[in-house]
Amino acid sequence: MAGKDTQQSNELPVVLLHRLPSMNLPFNPSFRDHLRFHVHIVDPHESPEAEPYDSCLSRHAHSIRALITLGLAPISPEFLERLPVLELVVTSKDVADCAVGLLINVLRRISAADRFVRGRMWPVQKAYPLGFKLGGKRVGIVGMGSIGSEVAKRLSAFGCSIAYTSRNKKQLIPFPFYADVSDLAANSDVLILCCPLTERTYHIINKDVMVALGKEGVIINVGRGSLVDEKELVQCLVQGEIGGAGLDVYENEPNVPNELFGVDNVVLSPHCAVLTPESFEAVHQLIVGNLKAFFSNKPLVSVVSND
């Protein structure tokens, strides 16, 4: 029976599960079994022969046509070079709600107000500093891909004015486009970072961009920590050169700069923007749908924008 199962699995398309050793599939127990019905999963961290990761990867490299990347597992050019027949990378990040939530939290000082009440400061100080309304804010989105588009949709409903920057101007996007991120910052009250981390976008938010954003400007980062020059961000926040920040990602995770713990205009989140049961269920459907479509030579269910 075991031989028959092995033969059947070998006839299925081969898919690599790329993850950090500490990261398991955060899905319901039936998902992996459901996935294995359609594809043969190669997970080097669970190799039945207990062989080293590199050995397992090399053994399957010329059969792997698709890759599922999970969580923070990096995909470098060197890693891709080891997979000569790879054609598809499947991943999903639905973080638009979190980006909007961080922005509202920063503007209305919700987390700081919570600490104010829990610290029993209300009876002593009486008045609490005013927050700022979201409606009418000029929001600049850095990276108008799938996530950026969802953020724009949500904030448009709040009455925000949207503009964006990305690698290229989107012909079907009705919002103003800025080729230079500093120009976008100068014409925005808020910058929301939704783009991937590449050599081009590393520290795309530098001191000049923060100064252009201004003393009341807010930065929301749900992309990657190194999109922002974190040392400069800390200095600008502490010295009051920008108004606030909502951060779900950091340059040296899980280490967060100590200076940020003592400032009330910063909201911190532990890189969990995608972590909801609903998003995981959506990922289940998306992964299986894309893999089935790909190996049946049909259009993919979703194509991730490179912006």
Side-chain angles (χ1 to χ4, degrees):
M1 191 61 144
K4 181 178 180 181
D5 291 340
T6 301
Q7 181 180 359
Q8 288 177 338
S9 67
N10 288 339
E11 294 173 353
L12 295 173
V14 179
V15 175
L16 174 67
L17 179 60
H18 181 54
R19 62 183 177 90
L20 297 175
S22 59
M23 176 67 77
N24 291 315
L25 276 171
F27 303 128
N28 62 59
S30 66
F31 174 68
R32 189 187 288 257
D33 292 337
H34 182 55
L35 193 61
R36 281 177 170 151
F37 181 78
H38 300 284
V39 298
H40 173 57
I41 299 175
V42 172
D43 183 352
H45 292 298
E46 286 191 357
S47 174
E49 295 83 7
E51 63 182 319
Y53 183 99
D54 287 345
S55 175
C56 179
L57 186 63
S58 297
R59 183 161 59 88
H60 293 281
H62 289 273
S63 302
I64 296 170
R65 294 178 56 202
L67 178 154
I68 299 175
T69 177
L70 179 64
L72 306 178
I75 300 180
S76 65
E78 293 75 19
F79 180 80
L80 293 177
E81 287 177 359
R82 301 178 65 182
L83 304 172
V85 298
L86 182 69
E87 299 176 67
L88 176 71
V89 176
V90 181
T91 186
S92 178
K93 292 175 170 53
D94 184 14
V95 298
D97 287 351
C98 184
V100 175
L102 285 171
L103 177 56
I104 294 174
N105 196 329
V106 174
L107 292 177
R108 297 306 306 268
R109 307 180 189 272
I110 295 173
S111 291
D114 179 81
R115 292 190 293 272
F116 180 80
V117 175
R118 292 177 186 273
R120 304 182 187 278
M121 298 302 296
W122 194 6
V124 178
Q125 295 187 12
K126 306 298 182 183
Y128 184 75
L130 297 176
F132 300 90
K133 68 176 291 185
L134 175 57
K137 287 290 183 289
R138 301 173 301 163
V139 177
I141 297 177
V142 181
M144 191 58 83
S146 55
I147 295 173
S149 298
E150 290 298 319
V151 171
K153 183 191 304 181
R154 287 156 173 75
L155 291 178
S156 294
F158 278 96
C160 294
S161 174
I162 308 295
Y164 74 100
T165 187
S166 63
R167 279 202 313 173
N168 302 295
K169 183 176 181 179
K170 308 283 188 177
Q171 297 302 319
L172 299 179
I173 297 293
F175 308 119
F177 168 76
Y178 289 85
D180 182 78
V181 69
S182 291
D183 291 339
L184 177 67
N187 290 278
S188 299
D189 303 308
V190 177
L191 286 181
I192 299 183
L193 313 184
C194 304
C195 61
L197 178 62
T198 65
E199 290 184 2
R200 184 184 68 86
T201 61
Y202 176 79
H203 282 187
I204 189 173
I205 307 302
N206 55 29
K207 178 66 176 291
D208 291 341
V209 173
M210 297 177 207
V211 171
L213 184 62
K215 292 183 178 297
E216 295 184 355
V218 173
I219 292 174
I220 304 295
N221 191 1
V222 292
R224 283 292 184 268
S226 293
L227 296 173
V228 179
D229 186 332
E230 193 167 81
K231 291 183 179 179
E232 292 292 351
L233 175 65
V234 169
Q235 290 302 309
C236 285
L237 287 166
V238 171
Q239 296 173 8
E241 295 186 59
I242 61 173
L247 308 174
D248 185 55
V249 289
Y250 312 88
E251 283 211 74
N252 186 27
E253 297 177 0
N255 301 307
V256 177
N258 290 331
E259 297 91 334
L260 297 182
F261 297 143
V263 287
D264 274 345
N265 59 341
V266 178
V267 177
L268 306 174
S269 175
H271 203 147
C272 62
V274 74
L275 303 182
T276 66
E278 294 86 353
S279 69
F280 287 145
E281 181 59 33
V283 170
H284 302 174
Q285 303 301 323
L286 192 66
I287 289 175
V288 172
N290 274 323
L291 289 172
K292 289 173 65 176
F294 175 73
F295 288 115
S296 300
N297 294 318
K298 296 180 180 179
L300 297 180
V301 176
S302 64
V303 179
V304 177
S305 168
N306 200 29
D307 289 312

